[in-house]
Amino acid sequence: MSTKLLDRLLFAQGGLCFFCKQALPKSDASVEHLVATSKGGGNNDENRVACCKTLNALLGSMSLKEKFQVMLNQKGSFNCPNRSDGASTAKSVGASPNLVGPPPDRIAKVVANLKQRGTSRPRTVKTLRSTIAAFAKDISEAELNALVDRLQSSGDIVITGQKVSYSL
Ligand SMILES: [Zn+2]
């Protein structure tokens, strides 16, 4: 990946992350293809943006539709995962108790794992939690809670009482 490309995109975006509009130091920046090149997306600036690395890791494997879903789920207050833990409290609108969420790659892995299971996904909160715990071995109780919360707030799962349904 050429440094010039990243410089150019950052310049065009006024030095801000394309998605969360926070000041984006080059060390935290990465190039995101809106439509993945593996899905036929172009290797040109029409299709490329600079964004936070953590967000890029989360969006990396998604289709454009899924990316839109993530954006729309933020309901206008987009905070990149892992970027709400530092000094940037400028827009802490609706601060949640889980300010430091689970790492995006872990979320992505859990989502991918659940997708793979097809119709044999866990149907209760209890089995979902033990499934995730078995899959993400070193996960803490707090992180597990945060992860289930995150899946719920992103709309990937819907919890009704003890029952879980999926829209993956
Ligand atoms: Zn960002």
Side-chain angles (χ1 to χ4, degrees):
M1 181 188 309
S2 108
T3 352
K4 278 183 181 167
L5 168 62
L6 198 52
D7 283 333
R8 189 169 71 236
L9 291 172
L10 275 174
F11 175 78
Q13 293 168 206
L16 307 179
C17 169
F18 183 79
F19 298 103
C20 70
K21 306 294 180 196
Q22 302 263 2
L24 182 57
K26 210 168 123 186
S27 55
D28 279 344
S30 62
V31 175
E32 152 79 1
H33 290 78
L34 295 175
V35 178
T37 45
S38 62
K39 296 187 165 80
N43 220 359
N44 51 57
D45 286 6
E46 281 294 296
N47 189 42
R48 290 187 293 217
V49 300
C51 74
C52 303
K53 277 180 183 167
T54 50
L55 190 59
N56 198 345
L58 172 71
L59 298 177
S61 58
M62 294 183 181
S63 70
L64 193 57
K65 180 177 173 181
E66 290 170 316
K67 287 176 189 175
F68 263 106
Q69 206 167 30
V70 172
M71 304 309 144
L72 292 169
N73 281 336
Q74 309 308 313
K75 298 183 172 48
S77 60
F78 203 111
N79 287 309
C80 279
N82 289 358
R83 279 185 60 101
S84 48
D85 55 354
S88 66
T89 48
K91 39 183 266 185
S92 56
V93 186
S96 83
N98 292 312
L99 267 183
V100 185
D105 59 330
R106 172 159 280 173
I107 301 171
K109 276 182 194 160
V110 167
V111 168
N113 183 273
L114 289 170
K115 270 186 188 169
Q116 257 176 24
R117 288 169 187 270
T119 52
S120 59
R121 291 168 187 151
R123 294 177 193 284
T124 64
V125 177
K126 205 179 154 201
T127 51
L128 175 64
R129 290 172 61 92
S130 55
T131 301
I132 296 173
F135 173 71
K137 288 189 173 58
D138 58 338
I139 197 165
S140 68
E141 185 73 14
E143 210 186 333
L144 185 55
N145 290 338
L147 209 149
V148 172
D149 280 354
R150 185 64 70 91
L151 290 173
Q152 215 178 346
S153 64
S154 64
D156 288 326
I157 65 172
V158 178
I159 296 177
T160 321
Q162 283 304 304
K163 291 220 157 70
V164 184
S165 58
Y166 300 84
S167 47
L168 292 170

